[in-house]
Amino acid sequence: MSASQVSENPIAKAAAQLKLVCENLPTRPISLWDAEYGCASFVKQTADIAADKLMRVRSNRLFYGAPPIYRGHGRPRIHGDKFKVNDSTTWWTPDQSLEVNDSKMGQMCIRLWCNLHFQQSAKHSMNLIQIQRTDELREPKTKPLWLVWVGIEMPTLSQLWRLYFRRFAIDHWYRFAKQRLHWTLPNLSTPEQCERWSDLLPLMTWQLWLARDFVTDNPLPWQKPKPKLSPGRVAQAMSEIFAAIGTPAVPPKPRGKSPGWTEGQTRTRRIRYPTVKKSTAKQKK
């Protein structure tokens, strides 16, 4: 790993990965991004990539509308009216709105505002979408979801609001792999070892999925019994399957004096790799 790759921030790394993936795809994809990438820097760095982007934005984001028509006096304006996501008094009438009654989410209201942009990316227009649950009887009550669309041809609102929810299944698996399957816990020495360890995680997940009908729930003292076991609860109950099928591991050796290093065998230094750190910009006082 080079020094430039170590100092590369997450947004630049994501843009490089998106470009690499799109070069090998036959069609233009629709990519889904978390709120960390819903910013002007990511929009500008991915402007030349053949991919449509649907990104979540934070509730404190500030947008600007299209500038008014130039009147011939002074410098032409770059920005139009302000649109503060957390201030409804700055919102104008949406370009489109849709009411949806979903069986799982309840009554939904989707609004669309076209031709907005970030302050630092005035040349890159985008569409802002608000997804809000209007059924107050359902629990838990959730805050509105704000998305921005950057691309050529946007799907209809009835398709768009369901499209972003596909990424939640992937995000939950990554969190499960890190917290429960300990994806990032081992301190491995080589990139090849890291790749082999990463390849094992989907196999572990499939084993848990296949074992869900063969285990009995084994809740911890503070957990309530569940009729339908999650992958984490299946992992808690896997001990009964391991006890039945055994293990291919070699039995532990008896304690004693180690024979030491073999005489005549060459010693090589262990390869050390630099620590990957995220760069954060310091705030000016």
Side-chain angles (χ1 to χ4, degrees):
M1 183 179 295
S2 62
S4 60
Q5 290 176 324
V6 174
S7 59
E8 197 174 31
N9 58 51
I11 293 178
K13 186 66 175 179
Q17 291 176 345
L18 179 62
K19 182 178 180 181
L20 182 62
V21 170
C22 292
E23 289 176 351
N24 300 298
L25 293 179
T27 58
R28 185 182 180 93
I30 298 177
S31 56
L32 309 177
W33 301 90
D34 197 5
E36 183 178 0
Y37 305 96
C39 59
S41 177
F42 185 72
V43 171
K44 290 190 292 185
Q45 294 186 45
T46 58
D48 298 332
I49 300 176
D52 297 331
K53 298 173 286 291
L54 183 61
M55 304 170 290
R56 184 162 63 92
V57 292
R58 296 187 174 95
S59 59
N60 60 349
R61 283 292 184 184
L62 172 63
F63 295 90
Y64 290 87
I69 300 175
Y70 181 55
R71 301 294 183 180
H73 302 283
R75 180 184 177 184
R77 291 184 58 181
I78 301 177
H79 310 296
D81 297 331
K82 290 184 178 181
F83 188 105
K84 295 182 180 180
V85 174
N86 56 3
D87 186 2
S88 60
T89 60
T90 62
W91 305 353
W92 51 83
T93 305
D95 296 284
Q96 294 183 34
S97 60
L98 177 67
E99 296 285 342
V100 178
N101 189 5
D102 187 71
S103 59
K104 292 183 178 180
M105 303 296 295
Q107 192 71 24
M108 309 287 293
C109 180
I110 300 97
R111 300 182 180 93
L112 171 67
W113 291 268
C114 300
N115 298 325
L116 298 175
H117 60 263
F118 291 115
Q119 183 178 11
Q120 295 80 12
S121 59
K123 296 182 180 179
H124 304 283
S125 179
M126 64 186 69
N127 295 339
L128 179 65
I129 304 102
Q130 183 202 47
I131 304 174
Q132 186 175 16
R133 296 176 63 181
T134 57
D135 189 356
E136 299 294 341
L137 300 178
R138 286 179 174 261
E139 294 290 343
K141 296 180 180 178
T142 56
K143 296 181 179 180
L145 176 66
W146 292 90
L147 306 173
V148 290
W149 168 269
V150 183
I152 296 178
E153 184 178 356
M154 191 184 76
T156 61
L157 287 182
S158 59
Q159 298 173 336
L160 189 66
W161 80 273
R162 299 179 187 274
L163 184 63
Y164 189 78
F165 288 98
R166 294 182 181 180
R167 67 175 295 273
F168 285 104
I170 301 175
D171 282 356
H172 285 308
W173 181 84
Y174 276 109
R175 183 179 64 177
F176 177 74
K178 292 179 180 179
Q179 297 180 358
R180 191 63 180 83
L181 301 182
H182 310 302
W183 186 9
T184 56
L185 182 62
N187 295 322
L188 304 176
S189 303
T190 64
E192 291 77 14
Q193 292 176 350
C194 296
E195 290 180 0
R196 287 194 293 268
W197 174 241
S198 298
D199 292 340
L200 286 174
L201 296 179
L203 298 178
M204 297 180 193
T205 308
W206 279 110
Q207 287 182 347
L208 294 175
W209 185 79
L210 294 172
R212 71 192 189 282
D213 296 330
F214 300 97
V215 298
T216 56
D217 190 17
N218 185 24
L220 296 174
W222 57 86
Q223 293 177 335
K224 296 180 180 180
K226 295 178 63 176
K228 187 176 182 180
L229 300 183
S230 63
R233 295 292 282 266
V234 175
Q236 289 180 192
M238 283 293 288
S239 58
E240 59 181 277
I241 293 183
F242 292 148
I245 65 177
T247 175
V250 179
K253 296 181 180 180
R255 183 177 178 181
K257 186 177 180 181
S258 173
W261 191 266
T262 305
E263 186 176 355
Q265 184 178 354
T266 58
R267 293 177 180 267
T268 57
R269 287 184 174 272
R270 182 177 177 181
I271 302 176
R272 301 290 181 178
Y273 295 92
T275 304
V276 178
K277 298 181 179 179
K278 290 185 177 180
S279 60
T280 57
K282 295 183 178 179
Q283 296 180 352
K284 296 181 180 181
K285 295 183 180 179

